[in-house]
Amino acid sequence: MPFWPFGRDPADIEIATRVITAATQNGVKVRGKLTIHFSEAQRQNSADAAADRCATVAIALLREAPEHERLIGAETQLNAQLLARYPGDIPPARAVELAALHVVGDPTLSDELRRASSSGSVPPLPPSTQPPARPMTPSGSGVPSMRPAQPSAPPRSLSPSSMPAPLSSTSPLPPHAGYGAPPRRRGSSQIRSIQSLLMPPGTPPSAMGAFVAPTVRDSSARLLIGFLRAHDLITLRHVVVDESSAEMLANVVPVSDAPPGGYEASRAAEIARWSQALGADVVGALHHEASVVAVALARAEMTRADVNRALAAAVIDAAITSAFPGEDEARYADGGRFPDAGTPAFTDTVVHGLTRIAGCGDDPAAMTEALRPLIALLQEDLATSAMIVKISAG
């Protein structure tokens, strides 16, 4: 059964795309466009499910690279490895392409690396050392389980359990919400990326808030989609989610190629289907709660970045006005009910609140473990915005 099946769409989808983002082992984020050319036209739901599954494979492949320099310009090799890992239990593809790889926020560095790759001065990408992927196996409820299968399983299929295990404590980790990890050390390319986004001296708080608003708005929509998909997997399909598959779930939440602030619009059809399934009032309440969480995270990251308190308050107020126009700012003022965003209790409280609003019998503990990595990713994005505000303010 494909993920998130609503209705019977016509089989007219020949190509599916995803914009994927992953950090290599040296902690640098790279982004590219994944395109699947199906052998036969697919229904929208099947095409979306296949694209999401293939995106997890591509993300795993990028994460295996020791450094970003090995990826830029090596798309041909990556495509060959990606095709070899293409899951056998999703619609077949006649071609899979990962294109336009670049370092996030640093096009100049990406161009330099691509020229170096063309001249042969960058070592080629080594063959993948990742063990063969394993298929999903039935759980006691008769639906696919995300627990590891037997090693003798066919090598061409992929289960979420075949995703890379969580990085060790010595790896360059992002500041994960719920884990209390310290901010990671930023590489020179990341510092250049931040510098390229700095606002001019004297930028007023209203303009700073408008800069932060798209990230807040997108964070809200991504949390909503993540919760709904976790509800589908865990509550409706009874899938068992372990730590590595929770990382997979965080990445299955699609990265939009829409302009900043346009994530919600890019997933409008999916949100509409969930509104029909759960009720528009329920989905609307979940969306508002996700927005409150996004604002609370933005406030927390302003504090962590040591932004002047008065400036931070003005920036957040302006961000709310810009991200959620026409709404009362007071609706987002109750972020104080959340614990410290750097503690596990923050994610616990967020997910318990969402499951209570949904009222669909979700297991809060299972949903929390599934959504913890996603909330960590949102926190990292908002931390970057806060750092830009801090540096721009002088």
Side-chain angles (χ1 to χ4, degrees):
M1 181 178 77
F3 287 175
W4 311 288
F6 295 94
R8 301 294 292 174
D9 298 324
D12 57 1
I13 305 300
E14 298 181 352
I15 296 175
T17 64
R18 289 289 184 268
V19 176
I20 63 170
T21 304
T24 56
Q25 293 182 27
N26 66 346
V28 176
K29 281 188 178 181
V30 294
R31 181 171 293 159
K33 184 175 182 179
L34 173 68
T35 302
I36 305 173
H37 300 264
F38 295 110
S39 298
E40 297 180 355
Q42 302 295 316
R43 298 184 186 278
Q44 184 67 61
N45 289 327
S46 296
D48 283 344
D52 290 341
R53 287 283 304 284
C54 194
T56 65
V57 182
I59 289 168
L61 193 60
L62 297 182
R63 285 179 170 177
E64 291 172 20
E67 53 191 7
H68 56 288
E69 289 90 344
R70 301 290 188 94
L71 298 176
I72 309 300
E75 285 89 344
T76 300
Q77 296 167 277
L78 287 169
N79 289 340
Q81 294 183 18
L82 184 57
L83 187 60
R85 295 192 190 187
Y86 189 81
D89 57 346
I90 62 176
R94 56 184 175 83
V96 182
E97 299 173 347
L98 185 56
L101 278 177
H102 61 279
V103 175
V104 175
D106 199 335
T108 301
L109 175 62
S110 301
D111 292 340
E112 292 173 356
L113 292 174
R114 196 170 299 280
R115 286 193 295 270
S117 175
S118 300
S119 65
S121 59
V122 175
L125 188 70
S128 172
T129 57
Q130 187 76 356
R134 297 185 288 266
M136 291 186 180
T137 56
S139 65
S141 60
V143 296
S145 169
M146 289 191 177
R147 296 191 188 281
Q150 295 300 317
S152 59
R156 280 182 56 80
S157 60
L158 176 82
S159 72
S161 62
S162 69
M163 296 296 293
L167 299 174
S168 68
S169 59
T170 59
S171 301
L173 291 172
H176 279 208
Y179 290 99
R184 73 180 179 205
R185 184 174 299 169
R186 299 182 183 275
S188 59
S189 63
Q190 292 169 302
I191 292 174
R192 289 199 300 272
S193 299
I194 289 178
Q195 289 175 339
S196 68
L197 295 172
L198 294 182
M199 290 167 276
T203 299
S206 58
M208 291 183 174
F211 170 82
V212 174
T215 305
V216 173
R217 183 176 175 84
D218 286 346
S219 296
S220 167
R222 291 182 68 191
L223 180 56
L224 173 66
I225 293 294
F227 178 85
L228 294 172
R229 292 190 170 194
H231 163 75
D232 179 67
L233 286 171
I234 296 171
T235 305
L236 301 184
R237 301 180 66 214
H238 308 289
V239 171
V240 179
V241 177
D242 58 22
E243 290 183 358
S244 59
S245 58
E247 291 286 345
M248 181 281 299
L249 178 62
N251 289 301
V252 163
V253 176
V255 177
S256 174
D257 54 3
Y263 188 90
E264 178 185 347
S266 73
R267 308 311 302 175
E270 182 174 351
I271 294 173
R273 291 194 295 267
W274 278 111
S275 295
Q276 292 176 359
L278 301 180
D281 290 344
V282 171
V283 173
L286 287 171
H287 200 169
H288 173 69
E289 181 70 2
S291 299
V292 172
V293 172
V295 171
L297 279 174
R299 282 198 180 98
E301 292 309 318
M302 290 287 177
T303 299
R304 183 176 300 196
D306 199 25
V307 177
N308 175 275
R309 293 181 64 178
L311 174 62
V315 169
I316 292 298
D317 287 346
I320 293 172
T321 300
S322 181
F324 312 112
E327 296 196 27
D328 185 358
E329 292 181 14
R331 298 187 67 197
Y332 302 91
D334 59 346
R337 59 188 166 92
F338 298 111
D340 184 344
T343 66
F346 177 84
T347 302
D348 295 343
T349 302
V350 167
V351 179
H352 276 69
L354 290 170
T355 56
R356 176 184 55 78
I357 292 170
C360 297
D362 296 300
D363 176 7
M367 295 285 284
T368 297
E369 291 309 306
L371 291 171
R372 196 180 297 278
L374 173 60
I375 292 177
L377 294 177
L378 304 183
Q379 183 178 6
E380 183 181 8
D381 289 344
L382 291 164
T384 300
S385 297
M387 182 62 65
I388 292 171
V389 170
K390 168 67 175 178
I391 298 174
S392 297

